[in-house]
Amino acid sequence: MEDRDGATHRVIEGLKDLYKTRLLPVEKLYSYHHFFSNQMTDAEFDAKPQVLMIGQYSTGKTSFIKYLIGRDFPGQRIGPEPTTDRFVCVMNGTDERVVPGNALSVSPDLPYHGLQQFGVSFLNKLEGAQLPSPVLRNISIVDTPGILSGEKQRVARGYNFVQVCGWFAERCDLILLLFDAHKLDISDEFRSVIESLKGHDDKIRCVLNKADQVDRQKLMRVYGALMWAMGKVTKTPEVLRVYAGSFWDQPLQHTDNAKLFELEEKELMADLKNLPRNSAVRKINELVKRARKCKVHAYIMAYLRSQMPSMTGKQKKQEQLIKDLPNVFRAVMKKYSLAAGDFPELEKFREKLGELNFSKFPKLNDKMIAKIDEMLNSDIPHLMDSLPTELKINDDGMAILSGKMNALTTEMPSVPTPKTHKASEEESRSPPAPPGGEQQESNPFAEEEEEEDDNNPFGRETEEDELPWELQDEKDLRWDPLFLESGADTLEAKLDAGKARKALMATGVPTKSLRAIWDLSDIDKDGKLDAEEFTIAMHLCEMVQEGGAIPEQLEEAQVPISKR
């Protein structure tokens, strides 16, 4: 078992290295993160499989999670009205606690760093629920707010719900769309969320929950109506896999479909059980998809740059190219023999393009594209060959999933027996503990915060954190491409004095000023400029061009964090 675990670890480490050395430089050069998802972190590669729960309110998402892990989790609220008003990441932990969203997003050991891009209004609606659970040692589960209908509710959220769901969908291994047998209508917001999942069709499963509340005849009609409604939204001839059942610890109301529900639930649990075994393969699959999208993106950006005039009429030409974007896509696809399915969504791409200057786009870097091709054609297949044929997982947790339907009797009589209770009849009728009840009082995050040790990522306040580097966005979007064009092999390399001097002289800033700028920028005084130092130098040159004075020393926020 240790050898198989070691092989899986080497595969994950290999993926990290390929991403950082082959793919990330291309993403930065062609502003991939401005158009699509932000840079991947090590924690995202190391993360255990995640299951994303999406559905309209009162479809049983939170009850489903409780049923999977076999117990309540911190902060849960269950009711017929819209109760869950936040994204809840249910994770394994040594004790029970609720982790606020801002702390969750800065933990280096958790894959949620990228959620900071959605702002404080979203992070206030994000939290983590940690508890010891055999199931959660193998997978994590993300609960989402119930989707509402109507423009008013969407605006009142304070963040882009559809974009957040898309961010989670890209990083999750399985997406469960929950439907209530009595409420099959798909609201406008739910439709937008489903449409945002395009490209992740292999991860999506539908769950027709509370199916025991209708008899066999009505269930057939409900199932057919669900398939028709989903076909209208996904616009594909292939149908999604639908699991029908009643996923909670209450007895079945109509027992004529008990055998069907048992078989459906066993298949769903098998789907969940296979997630840890397929986790490494899923990460490889996601990296390949990202690499293909990034390669197409680089071709598009370079093509747009090549169409720009060298002198006058740049703004008019840019507006024309944006308007004629479908023909641009066709020209790029034909020129480089690319697949149509790898191209981005037209309208979203057009919206992002309007924020940039095409004349500053980098030219096509054939060497970097060749490295992506080598990664796809050679390195990735080599990693696939080294994958273990069987992965070690926690048997206790997977046994819970495998045995979920043992609540039904193994011998089905002529009239099927309803689902039995896990607890006594009196306990199952009791509502879950309300917020602020005994369970919450035993593990409030605020009380435990003072007892955290130095190794706990949630045990520190952020008031004394270092100032962010104020030139980071400027570096990523503007100066990294110029840094590479000036002669640097990678963003981790350094420009020697000759190449750096040539780039700075091209700005037209007087030599006397450049001498002072160099003294401020070459922080480590090695006579070379790395990407961060180059950004400082170009920022100061631009400031001089605009009539500003060169400061005697850099402000703290202008100094890269690694050099303070």
Side-chain angles (χ1 to χ4, degrees):
M1 288 295 187
E2 291 180 359
D3 291 339
R4 287 194 291 269
D5 285 346
T8 304
H9 176 73
R10 285 194 296 274
V11 168
I12 299 300
E13 291 300 315
L15 289 177
K16 292 181 189 177
D17 182 65
L18 287 176
Y19 175 71
K20 292 176 182 178
T21 58
R22 304 293 179 88
L23 193 55
L24 184 57
V26 182
E27 291 183 356
K28 290 186 174 181
L29 177 61
Y30 294 99
S31 305
Y32 179 88
H33 306 137
H34 175 75
F35 291 84
F36 307 102
S37 58
N38 46 2
Q39 177 180 337
M40 296 183 69
T41 63
D42 287 350
E44 291 180 42
F45 285 99
D46 295 329
K48 63 186 67 174
Q50 295 189 85
V51 180
L52 178 63
M53 315 283 294
I54 301 177
Q56 299 183 152
Y57 74 91
S58 193
T59 53
K61 298 187 297 298
T62 306
S63 298
F64 186 97
I65 297 174
K66 176 185 174 183
Y67 180 62
L68 280 182
I69 62 179
R71 55 170 296 182
D72 294 341
F73 58 87
Q76 78 170 36
R77 288 186 294 160
I78 300 175
E81 76 284 1
T83 50
T84 303
D85 64 343
R86 60 196 62 220
F87 285 77
V88 182
C89 304
V90 187
M91 307 169 291
N92 188 57
T94 55
D95 49 20
E96 296 188 10
R97 70 177 61 205
V98 173
V99 184
N102 288 279
L104 199 70
S105 66
V106 298
S107 171
D109 300 324
L110 297 176
Y112 304 118
H113 181 78
L115 290 171
Q116 296 182 63
Q117 64 178 302
F118 298 108
V120 176
S121 58
F122 166 72
L123 295 178
N124 290 335
K125 294 293 185 180
L126 170 71
E127 68 181 29
Q130 288 186 327
L131 70 157
S133 167
V135 173
L136 296 177
R137 286 203 290 268
N138 299 288
I139 61 175
S140 297
I141 308 172
V142 180
D143 194 9
T144 62
I147 296 177
L148 307 172
S149 59
E151 187 68 26
K152 181 178 179 181
Q153 289 89 336
R154 287 205 297 272
V155 173
R157 288 192 190 275
Y159 60 91
N160 193 314
F161 181 81
V162 175
Q163 289 184 7
V164 174
C165 288
W167 187 93
F168 275 107
E170 188 172 339
R171 289 156 179 80
C172 283
D173 296 71
L174 188 68
I175 304 169
L176 297 181
L177 302 179
L178 268 74
F179 295 87
D180 188 329
H182 287 95
K183 295 187 298 185
L184 289 184
D185 60 306
I186 298 178
S187 67
D188 293 340
E189 190 176 24
F190 197 12
R191 174 185 290 269
S192 299
V193 171
I194 296 174
E195 290 174 347
S196 74
L197 303 179
K198 185 178 180 181
H200 305 290
D201 310 73
D202 56 321
K203 304 179 186 179
I204 302 176
R205 308 287 187 272
C206 294
V207 177
L208 181 57
N209 200 15
K210 306 182 183 180
D212 65 313
Q213 297 181 9
V214 295
D215 58 30
R216 181 172 299 177
Q217 182 184 20
K218 291 179 180 178
L219 179 61
M220 291 175 60
R221 294 173 179 168
V222 168
Y223 187 91
L226 175 59
M227 298 295 286
W228 178 84
M230 287 301 298
K232 296 282 286 183
V233 176
T234 57
K235 297 181 177 65
T236 57
E238 297 83 7
V239 296
L240 296 173
R241 177 67 173 94
V242 178
Y243 297 103
S246 178
F247 299 95
W248 65 342
D249 289 330
Q250 302 298 315
L252 302 177
Q253 292 189 17
H254 290 85
T255 59
D256 47 354
N257 290 315
K259 185 63 177 177
L260 169 67
F261 296 158
E262 177 185 0
L263 297 174
E264 290 282 280
E265 191 165 343
K266 282 183 177 179
E267 288 194 17
L268 176 55
M269 297 306 162
D271 225 349
L272 293 169
K273 182 179 178 180
N274 287 330
L275 289 181
R277 293 191 171 95
N278 299 329
S279 178
V281 178
R282 175 72 69 184
K283 287 179 171 62
I284 292 176
N285 184 60
E286 291 302 314
L287 187 63
V288 169
K289 287 199 295 187
R290 189 179 180 104
R292 292 175 64 91
K293 286 175 60 178
C294 182
K295 180 180 173 182
V296 170
H297 176 75
Y299 281 131
I300 295 173
M301 301 290 278
Y303 180 85
L304 291 173
R305 160 70 183 267
S306 68
Q307 300 300 304
M308 294 296 291
S310 57
M311 299 295 290
T312 60
K314 293 183 178 181
Q315 183 62 32
K316 184 177 180 181
K317 182 62 175 179
Q318 178 166 327
E319 293 174 356
Q320 180 184 345
L321 288 170
I322 293 176
K323 184 178 180 180
D324 200 34
L325 201 56
N327 289 328
V328 170
F329 280 13
R330 280 191 286 270
V332 173
M333 182 169 57
K334 183 178 180 181
K335 183 176 181 179
Y336 299 105
S337 302
L338 303 173
D342 293 336
F343 279 73
E345 188 176 334
L346 186 66
E347 291 305 320
K348 290 183 179 179
F349 195 80
R350 176 181 281 147
E351 180 182 349
K352 294 288 187 179
L353 274 179
E355 303 170 2
L356 302 176
N357 184 349
F358 291 8
S359 299
K360 294 185 177 181
F361 288 174
K363 298 177 182 178
L364 186 65
N365 190 317
D366 293 323
K367 291 183 180 179
M368 299 179 80
I369 299 297
K371 288 183 179 180
I372 292 183
D373 288 333
E374 183 181 356
M375 180 184 80
L376 293 174
N377 299 327
S378 176
D379 298 324
I380 294 292
H382 179 71
L383 283 179
M384 288 289 292
D385 290 339
S386 63
L387 272 175
T389 56
E390 181 182 352
L391 303 183
K392 178 182 178 182
I393 61 172
N394 176 263
D395 295 331
D396 294 339
M398 292 299 99
I400 293 177
L401 295 179
S402 300
K404 275 295 180 184
M405 279 309 295
N406 289 341
L408 286 174
T409 54
T410 53
E411 296 181 9
M412 300 296 291
S414 54
V415 179
T417 332
K419 198 177 292 186
T420 60
H421 296 266
K422 283 192 167 185
S424 65
E425 192 71 20
E426 292 76 12
E427 291 174 335
S428 65
R429 285 181 182 145
S430 301
E438 181 178 348
Q439 182 183 347
Q440 284 199 341
E441 291 175 356
S442 64
N443 59 85
F445 180 72
E447 291 181 8
E448 294 182 357
E449 193 171 42
E450 297 179 357
E451 300 174 6
E452 299 296 320
D453 59 31
D454 291 339
N455 296 322
N456 192 307
F458 308 114
R460 298 295 177 202
E461 296 290 346
T462 59
E463 294 178 357
E464 298 180 0
D465 285 352
E466 291 184 282
L467 288 172
W469 187 35
E470 65 178 28
L471 303 182
Q472 183 65 58
D473 292 340
E474 193 174 323
K475 171 183 178 293
D476 294 340
L477 294 177
R478 299 181 58 193
W479 305 128
D480 277 355
L482 182 59
F483 181 73
L484 295 169
E485 287 183 4
S486 299
D489 295 331
T490 67
L491 292 175
E492 286 71 34
K494 289 192 174 188
L495 280 180
D496 59 37
K499 294 177 180 178
R501 184 179 187 278
K502 184 178 179 181
L504 295 180
M505 289 290 290
T507 63
V509 174
T511 305
K512 183 178 180 181
S513 298
L514 289 177
R515 191 177 301 117
I517 289 174
W518 184 278
D519 288 337
L520 289 173
S521 304
D522 186 14
I523 298 175
D524 53 14
K525 305 303 179 187
D526 62 351
K528 301 177 182 179
L529 296 184
D530 61 22
E532 291 177 335
E533 294 170 335
F534 183 78
T535 295
I536 297 172
M538 297 306 297
H539 174 81
L540 294 174
C541 287
E542 196 170 68
M543 188 170 63
V544 172
Q545 291 172 330
E546 295 173 354
I550 301 175
E552 293 185 4
Q553 62 181 22
L554 296 175
E555 298 177 4
E556 182 182 359
Q558 294 177 330
V559 180
I561 296 175
S562 61
K563 302 181 186 299
R564 292 176 188 170

